[in-house]
Amino acid sequence: DLAAESVGGTGIVVSLRLERVEIESCDAGVRATAMALEWEGTDASFELFCVDSLFVENGIGILAGVDPTGATQGGRVTARSTSFEAHLQAATLTGWIPLDLEECVIRGGGDGIRLVESSGSAVACTIVDNAIGVASGDPQYTSFDLLDSIVFDNGDDLLGTGLVVRHCDIGDGDFAGTNGNVSADPLFWAAEFGDYRLAAGSPC
């Protein structure tokens, strides 16, 4: 589902919606870039929506950012109820654009979420068994809100600055005791089978 339209005569917005799609074994599952001077001198930005989809064994699941040649417009990535599994480098890698994740599972790979001067949020997400759970950059340019999420059993759960963490279970104890955050076994139903529902008695 791909659509492009001119907005106010000043630029073009390309919208891509992926719903119930499986993307497997690619260098980048989806690559999205805001373009400068690509379409008859008109800036082009993008909106990428992923819903109920699966990214598995990709180098990078979603790679999105701004064209380094000087795009003046950016883009936005939104994923809901989407799973990222066994990614080699990163489940999501975004640069200079907002990233919003909701009820996503990111497991078993390199970096879960890697932010390069990006903003956005992860709400009710489960990020487990990655080399790094969430990796962020300079707080002057990065502002990412992690809310009601579980980041557990990664090599390093949270790396970097620019993160606001609220009501989360962070396995290595980062932010524990502040803003409603805890550090405790979330008691997944059957993590060994990829079932991250919470069992009775879970602190989450």
Side-chain angles (χ1 to χ4, degrees):
D1 182 4
L2 177 64
E5 63 177 328
S6 178
V7 178
T10 59
I12 293 173
V13 177
V14 178
S15 294
L16 174 63
R17 181 180 177 89
L18 302 175
E19 188 165 355
R20 294 186 178 181
V21 172
E22 181 174 336
I23 299 177
E24 182 176 355
S25 301
C26 299
D27 289 337
V30 177
R31 187 189 308 267
T33 304
M35 295 171 289
L37 305 178
E38 291 286 333
W39 295 357
E40 297 181 356
T42 302
D43 294 319
S45 62
F46 67 87
E47 296 174 343
L48 172 62
F49 302 92
C50 298
V51 182
D52 294 325
S53 292
L54 172 63
F55 293 78
V56 60
E57 294 185 351
N58 299 288
I60 299 173
I62 296 175
L63 174 61
V66 173
D67 183 344
T69 61
T72 58
Q73 299 189 60
R76 187 173 204 98
V77 173
T78 302
R80 294 189 179 95
S81 303
T82 292
S83 293
F84 301 83
E85 301 178 2
H87 39 279
L88 299 178
Q89 299 176 46
T92 64
L93 172 55
T94 53
W96 304 279
I97 62 163
L99 168 70
D100 293 302
L101 305 174
E102 184 176 351
E103 296 183 352
C104 292
V105 174
I106 300 174
R107 70 182 183 105
D111 296 348
I113 300 171
R114 176 164 286 279
L115 307 161
V116 180
E117 300 185 7
S118 296
S119 61
S121 64
V123 180
C125 292
T126 300
I127 304 169
V128 295
D129 195 28
N130 303 282
I132 299 174
V134 181
S136 65
D138 189 334
Q140 183 177 354
Y141 303 103
T142 302
S143 177
F144 195 77
D145 194 1
L146 196 61
L147 175 65
D148 293 336
S149 294
I150 299 170
V151 186
F152 197 83
D153 206 21
N154 302 280
D156 193 344
D157 289 324
L158 303 177
L159 177 65
T161 53
L163 298 174
V164 177
V165 183
R166 296 177 294 141
H167 300 283
C168 292
D169 185 355
I170 309 297
D172 60 14
D174 291 346
F175 297 94
T178 64
N179 294 331
N181 298 304
V182 300
S183 177
D185 187 339
L187 298 180
F188 294 124
W189 186 262
E192 64 273 25
F193 299 110
D195 186 343
Y196 294 101
R197 290 177 297 172
L198 300 176
S202 168
C204 301

